[in-house]
mmCIF file of all heavy atoms in Angstrom:
data_model
loop_
_atom_site.group_PDB
_atom_site.id
_atom_site.type_symbol
_atom_site.label_atom_id
_atom_site.label_comp_id
_atom_site.label_asym_id
_atom_site.label_seq_id
_atom_site.Cartn_x
_atom_site.Cartn_y
_atom_site.Cartn_z
ATOM 1 N N TYR J 15 6.930 8.500 -8.258
ATOM 2 C CA TYR J 15 6.311 7.587 -7.298
ATOM 3 C C TYR J 15 6.540 6.152 -7.766
ATOM 4 O O TYR J 15 6.783 5.888 -8.937
ATOM 5 C CB TYR J 15 4.831 7.880 -7.091
ATOM 6 C CG TYR J 15 3.988 7.913 -8.344
ATOM 7 C CD1 TYR J 15 3.512 6.741 -8.916
ATOM 8 C CD2 TYR J 15 3.651 9.122 -8.931
ATOM 9 C CE1 TYR J 15 2.740 6.770 -10.049
ATOM 10 C CE2 TYR J 15 2.870 9.161 -10.067
ATOM 11 C CZ TYR J 15 2.423 7.985 -10.626
ATOM 12 O OH TYR J 15 1.649 8.021 -11.753
ATOM 13 N N ASP J 16 6.480 5.254 -6.821
ATOM 14 C CA ASP J 16 6.778 3.850 -7.062
ATOM 15 C C ASP J 16 5.543 3.156 -7.635
ATOM 16 O O ASP J 16 4.551 2.961 -6.944
ATOM 17 C CB ASP J 16 7.193 3.201 -5.736
ATOM 18 C CG ASP J 16 7.681 1.781 -5.907
ATOM 19 O OD1 ASP J 16 7.436 1.195 -6.977
ATOM 20 O OD2 ASP J 16 8.284 1.251 -4.966
ATOM 21 N N ARG J 17 5.585 2.775 -8.893
ATOM 22 C CA ARG J 17 4.423 2.192 -9.554
ATOM 23 C C ARG J 17 4.138 0.759 -9.092
ATOM 24 O O ARG J 17 3.057 0.228 -9.358
ATOM 25 C CB ARG J 17 4.613 2.246 -11.068
ATOM 26 C CG ARG J 17 4.725 3.677 -11.584
ATOM 27 C CD ARG J 17 5.009 3.740 -13.075
ATOM 28 N NE ARG J 17 5.299 5.109 -13.492
ATOM 29 C CZ ARG J 17 4.380 6.019 -13.806
ATOM 30 N NH1 ARG J 17 3.107 5.693 -13.734
ATOM 31 N NH2 ARG J 17 4.717 7.231 -14.167
ATOM 32 N N ASP J 18 5.095 0.145 -8.432
ATOM 33 C CA ASP J 18 4.885 -1.206 -7.899
ATOM 34 C C ASP J 18 4.379 -1.194 -6.456
ATOM 35 O O ASP J 18 4.076 -2.248 -5.899
ATOM 36 C CB ASP J 18 6.190 -2.012 -7.957
ATOM 37 C CG ASP J 18 6.649 -2.260 -9.389
ATOM 38 O OD1 ASP J 18 5.777 -2.425 -10.261
ATOM 39 O OD2 ASP J 18 7.870 -2.280 -9.628
ATOM 40 N N GLU J 19 4.301 -0.008 -5.863
ATOM 41 C CA GLU J 19 3.917 0.098 -4.457
ATOM 42 C C GLU J 19 2.529 -0.489 -4.164
ATOM 43 O O GLU J 19 2.371 -1.205 -3.164
ATOM 44 C CB GLU J 19 3.986 1.555 -4.014
ATOM 45 C CG GLU J 19 3.718 1.760 -2.536
ATOM 46 C CD GLU J 19 3.831 3.224 -2.150
ATOM 47 O OE1 GLU J 19 3.198 4.069 -2.833
ATOM 48 O OE2 GLU J 19 4.553 3.520 -1.191
ATOM 49 N N PRO J 20 1.516 -0.241 -4.987
ATOM 50 C CA PRO J 20 0.197 -0.818 -4.684
ATOM 51 C C PRO J 20 0.232 -2.342 -4.522
ATOM 52 O O PRO J 20 -0.402 -2.886 -3.613
ATOM 53 C CB PRO J 20 -0.650 -0.392 -5.883
ATOM 54 C CG PRO J 20 -0.022 0.883 -6.341
ATOM 55 C CD PRO J 20 1.451 0.666 -6.154
ATOM 56 N N GLN J 21 0.974 -3.020 -5.382
ATOM 57 C CA GLN J 21 1.070 -4.475 -5.293
ATOM 58 C C GLN J 21 1.772 -4.899 -4.011
ATOM 59 O O GLN J 21 1.332 -5.844 -3.338
ATOM 60 C CB GLN J 21 1.839 -5.020 -6.509
ATOM 61 C CG GLN J 21 1.968 -6.535 -6.544
ATOM 62 C CD GLN J 21 0.669 -7.234 -6.859
ATOM 63 O OE1 GLN J 21 -0.155 -6.694 -7.597
ATOM 64 N NE2 GLN J 21 0.463 -8.424 -6.311
ATOM 65 N N ARG J 22 2.826 -4.214 -3.644
ATOM 66 C CA ARG J 22 3.578 -4.579 -2.438
ATOM 67 C C ARG J 22 2.749 -4.342 -1.181
ATOM 68 O O ARG J 22 2.797 -5.139 -0.236
ATOM 69 C CB ARG J 22 4.888 -3.785 -2.358
ATOM 70 C CG ARG J 22 5.878 -4.110 -3.471
ATOM 71 C CD ARG J 22 7.305 -3.752 -3.083
ATOM 72 N NE ARG J 22 7.420 -2.457 -2.462
ATOM 73 C CZ ARG J 22 7.514 -1.307 -3.129
ATOM 74 N NH1 ARG J 22 7.478 -1.317 -4.454
ATOM 75 N NH2 ARG J 22 7.635 -0.157 -2.500
ATOM 76 N N VAL J 23 1.997 -3.256 -1.155
ATOM 77 C CA VAL J 23 1.130 -2.990 -0.004
ATOM 78 C C VAL J 23 0.087 -4.092 0.130
ATOM 79 O O VAL J 23 -0.153 -4.616 1.220
ATOM 80 C CB VAL J 23 0.440 -1.610 -0.143
ATOM 81 C CG1 VAL J 23 -0.649 -1.438 0.912
ATOM 82 C CG2 VAL J 23 1.467 -0.492 -0.021
ATOM 83 N N ALA J 24 -0.524 -4.450 -0.987
ATOM 84 C CA ALA J 24 -1.560 -5.488 -0.963
ATOM 85 C C ALA J 24 -0.989 -6.825 -0.487
ATOM 86 O O ALA J 24 -1.623 -7.550 0.300
ATOM 87 C CB ALA J 24 -2.174 -5.640 -2.354
ATOM 88 N N GLU J 25 0.204 -7.157 -0.936
ATOM 89 C CA GLU J 25 0.828 -8.419 -0.532
ATOM 90 C C GLU J 25 1.218 -8.400 0.946
ATOM 91 O O GLU J 25 1.064 -9.414 1.640
ATOM 92 C CB GLU J 25 2.052 -8.689 -1.398
ATOM 93 C CG GLU J 25 1.698 -9.045 -2.842
ATOM 94 C CD GLU J 25 2.929 -9.262 -3.711
ATOM 95 O OE1 GLU J 25 4.059 -9.062 -3.206
ATOM 96 O OE2 GLU J 25 2.761 -9.618 -4.901
ATOM 97 N N ALA J 26 1.696 -7.276 1.424
ATOM 98 C CA ALA J 26 2.065 -7.171 2.839
ATOM 99 C C ALA J 26 0.837 -7.322 3.730
ATOM 100 O O ALA J 26 0.894 -7.991 4.770
ATOM 101 C CB ALA J 26 2.750 -5.835 3.106
ATOM 102 N N ILE J 27 -0.260 -6.726 3.335
ATOM 103 C CA ILE J 27 -1.502 -6.857 4.105
ATOM 104 C C ILE J 27 -1.957 -8.313 4.144
ATOM 105 O O ILE J 27 -2.408 -8.812 5.178
ATOM 106 C CB ILE J 27 -2.586 -5.938 3.512
ATOM 107 C CG1 ILE J 27 -2.252 -4.477 3.816
ATOM 108 C CG2 ILE J 27 -3.978 -6.296 4.050
ATOM 109 C CD1 ILE J 27 -3.153 -3.472 3.130
ATOM 110 N N ARG J 28 -1.809 -9.024 3.026
ATOM 111 C CA ARG J 28 -2.177 -10.439 2.983
ATOM 112 C C ARG J 28 -1.297 -11.264 3.925
ATOM 113 O O ARG J 28 -1.793 -12.106 4.686
ATOM 114 C CB ARG J 28 -2.050 -10.969 1.556
ATOM 115 C CG ARG J 28 -2.384 -12.458 1.412
ATOM 116 C CD ARG J 28 -2.291 -12.893 -0.041
ATOM 117 N NE ARG J 28 -0.961 -12.669 -0.590
ATOM 118 C CZ ARG J 28 0.060 -13.514 -0.419
ATOM 119 N NH1 ARG J 28 -0.098 -14.626 0.293
ATOM 120 N NH2 ARG J 28 1.227 -13.254 -0.970
ATOM 121 N N LEU J 29 0.011 -11.005 3.894
ATOM 122 C CA LEU J 29 0.936 -11.761 4.735
ATOM 123 C C LEU J 29 0.725 -11.469 6.220
ATOM 124 O O LEU J 29 0.936 -12.338 7.064
ATOM 125 C CB LEU J 29 2.379 -11.446 4.337
ATOM 126 C CG LEU J 29 2.826 -11.995 2.977
ATOM 127 C CD1 LEU J 29 4.190 -11.442 2.592
ATOM 128 C CD2 LEU J 29 2.857 -13.518 2.997
ATOM 129 N N MET J 30 0.310 -10.253 6.529
ATOM 130 C CA MET J 30 0.050 -9.893 7.923
ATOM 131 C C MET J 30 -1.273 -10.458 8.416
ATOM 132 O O MET J 30 -1.518 -10.513 9.625
ATOM 133 C CB MET J 30 0.035 -8.365 8.074
ATOM 134 C CG MET J 30 1.409 -7.720 7.966
ATOM 135 S SD MET J 30 1.293 -5.912 7.892
ATOM 136 C CE MET J 30 0.598 -5.560 9.507
ATOM 137 N N GLY J 31 -2.138 -10.867 7.488
ATOM 138 C CA GLY J 31 -3.440 -11.367 7.881
ATOM 139 C C GLY J 31 -4.319 -10.289 8.479
ATOM 140 O O GLY J 31 -5.124 -10.550 9.382
ATOM 141 N N VAL J 32 -4.196 -9.063 7.952
ATOM 142 C CA VAL J 32 -4.924 -7.921 8.501
ATOM 143 C C VAL J 32 -6.423 -8.037 8.195
ATOM 144 O O VAL J 32 -6.815 -8.275 7.053
ATOM 145 C CB VAL J 32 -4.377 -6.602 7.916
ATOM 146 C CG1 VAL J 32 -5.211 -5.422 8.361
ATOM 147 C CG2 VAL J 32 -2.923 -6.409 8.329
ATOM 148 N N LYS J 33 -7.248 -7.881 9.210
ATOM 149 C CA LYS J 33 -8.696 -7.913 9.020
ATOM 150 C C LYS J 33 -9.249 -6.555 8.627
ATOM 151 O O LYS J 33 -10.247 -6.453 7.922
ATOM 152 C CB LYS J 33 -9.381 -8.395 10.301
ATOM 153 C CG LYS J 33 -9.068 -9.845 10.659
ATOM 154 C CD LYS J 33 -9.793 -10.252 11.927
ATOM 155 C CE LYS J 33 -9.491 -11.711 12.279
ATOM 156 N NZ LYS J 33 -10.182 -12.122 13.534
ATOM 157 N N HIS J 34 -8.599 -5.493 9.110
ATOM 158 C CA HIS J 34 -9.017 -4.133 8.762
ATOM 159 C C HIS J 34 -7.763 -3.330 8.454
ATOM 160 O O HIS J 34 -6.931 -3.091 9.342
ATOM 161 C CB HIS J 34 -9.793 -3.489 9.901
ATOM 162 C CG HIS J 34 -10.293 -2.110 9.582
ATOM 163 N ND1 HIS J 34 -11.287 -1.874 8.655
ATOM 164 C CD2 HIS J 34 -9.927 -0.895 10.060
ATOM 165 C CE1 HIS J 34 -11.514 -0.567 8.584
ATOM 166 N NE2 HIS J 34 -10.702 0.045 9.414
ATOM 167 N N ALA J 35 -7.604 -2.915 7.200
ATOM 168 C CA ALA J 35 -6.405 -2.214 6.757
ATOM 169 C C ALA J 35 -6.634 -0.705 6.745
ATOM 170 O O ALA J 35 -7.729 -0.244 6.406
ATOM 171 C CB ALA J 35 -6.008 -2.680 5.359
ATOM 172 N N VAL J 36 -5.607 0.046 7.111
ATOM 173 C CA VAL J 36 -5.668 1.503 7.072
ATOM 174 C C VAL J 36 -4.569 2.012 6.140
ATOM 175 O O VAL J 36 -3.402 1.649 6.296
ATOM 176 C CB VAL J 36 -5.501 2.127 8.468
ATOM 177 C CG1 VAL J 36 -5.649 3.653 8.374
ATOM 178 C CG2 VAL J 36 -6.526 1.558 9.440
ATOM 179 N N LEU J 37 -4.957 2.851 5.184
ATOM 180 C CA LEU J 37 -4.018 3.434 4.235
ATOM 181 C C LEU J 37 -4.081 4.952 4.330
ATOM 182 O O LEU J 37 -5.155 5.531 4.490
ATOM 183 C CB LEU J 37 -4.363 3.030 2.799
ATOM 184 C CG LEU J 37 -4.476 1.542 2.483
ATOM 185 C CD1 LEU J 37 -4.903 1.359 1.030
ATOM 186 C CD2 LEU J 37 -3.163 0.825 2.747
ATOM 187 N N THR J 38 -2.923 5.577 4.215
ATOM 188 C CA THR J 38 -2.881 7.033 4.136
ATOM 189 C C THR J 38 -1.808 7.414 3.132
ATOM 190 O O THR J 38 -1.183 6.553 2.504
ATOM 191 C CB THR J 38 -2.614 7.664 5.513
ATOM 192 O OG1 THR J 38 -2.781 9.087 5.412
ATOM 193 C CG2 THR J 38 -1.207 7.363 6.020
ATOM 194 N N SER J 39 -1.584 8.703 2.941
ATOM 195 C CA SER J 39 -0.535 9.131 2.008
ATOM 196 C C SER J 39 -0.079 10.534 2.359
ATOM 197 O O SER J 39 -0.746 11.272 3.091
ATOM 198 C CB SER J 39 -1.044 9.116 0.559
ATOM 199 O OG SER J 39 -1.860 10.253 0.290
ATOM 200 N N VAL J 40 1.050 10.888 1.811
ATOM 201 C CA VAL J 40 1.486 12.279 1.836
ATOM 202 C C VAL J 40 0.676 13.046 0.793
ATOM 203 O O VAL J 40 -0.033 12.456 -0.029
ATOM 204 C CB VAL J 40 2.990 12.377 1.496
ATOM 205 C CG1 VAL J 40 3.837 11.774 2.596
ATOM 206 C CG2 VAL J 40 3.293 11.699 0.157
ATOM 207 N N ASN J 41 0.771 14.365 0.812
ATOM 208 C CA ASN J 41 0.203 15.182 -0.258
ATOM 209 C C ASN J 41 1.185 15.203 -1.425
ATOM 210 O O ASN J 41 2.389 15.382 -1.233
ATOM 211 C CB ASN J 41 -0.035 16.615 0.219
ATOM 212 C CG ASN J 41 -1.221 16.732 1.153
ATOM 213 O OD1 ASN J 41 -2.355 16.817 0.721
ATOM 214 N ND2 ASN J 41 -0.951 16.722 2.451
ATOM 215 N N ARG J 42 0.652 15.012 -2.639
ATOM 216 C CA ARG J 42 1.486 15.078 -3.841
ATOM 217 C C ARG J 42 0.899 16.137 -4.779
ATOM 218 O O ARG J 42 0.444 15.850 -5.878
ATOM 219 C CB ARG J 42 1.542 13.709 -4.514
ATOM 220 C CG ARG J 42 2.225 12.628 -3.694
ATOM 221 C CD ARG J 42 3.709 12.922 -3.419
ATOM 222 N NE ARG J 42 4.460 13.124 -4.621
ATOM 223 C CZ ARG J 42 5.100 12.123 -5.272
ATOM 224 N NH1 ARG J 42 5.047 10.898 -4.789
ATOM 225 N NH2 ARG J 42 5.785 12.365 -6.373
ATOM 226 N N ASP J 43 0.918 17.388 -4.300
ATOM 227 C CA ASP J 43 0.295 18.479 -5.043
ATOM 228 C C ASP J 43 0.964 18.741 -6.382
ATOM 229 O O ASP J 43 0.358 19.365 -7.267
ATOM 230 C CB ASP J 43 0.338 19.764 -4.201
ATOM 231 C CG ASP J 43 -0.526 19.674 -2.956
ATOM 232 O OD1 ASP J 43 -1.459 18.854 -2.942
ATOM 233 O OD2 ASP J 43 -0.257 20.416 -1.987
#
């Protein structure tokens, strides 16, 4: 998995100016 992904998601949400963010994921059993 991409260890830098959390930072990129957070930055994208900031740039989009999102007031309510929704996150989901695949299953990684």
Side-chain angles (χ1 to χ4, degrees):
Y15 54 82
D16 187 345
R17 298 176 188 275
D18 295 326
E19 185 179 50
Q21 182 72 32
R22 295 202 315 276
V23 170
E25 290 178 356
I27 289 172
R28 179 178 59 83
L29 290 171
M30 288 171 64
V32 174
K33 294 181 179 179
H34 182 69
V36 183
L37 305 177
T38 188
S39 78
V40 292
N41 286 277
R42 295 297 304 269
D43 294 337

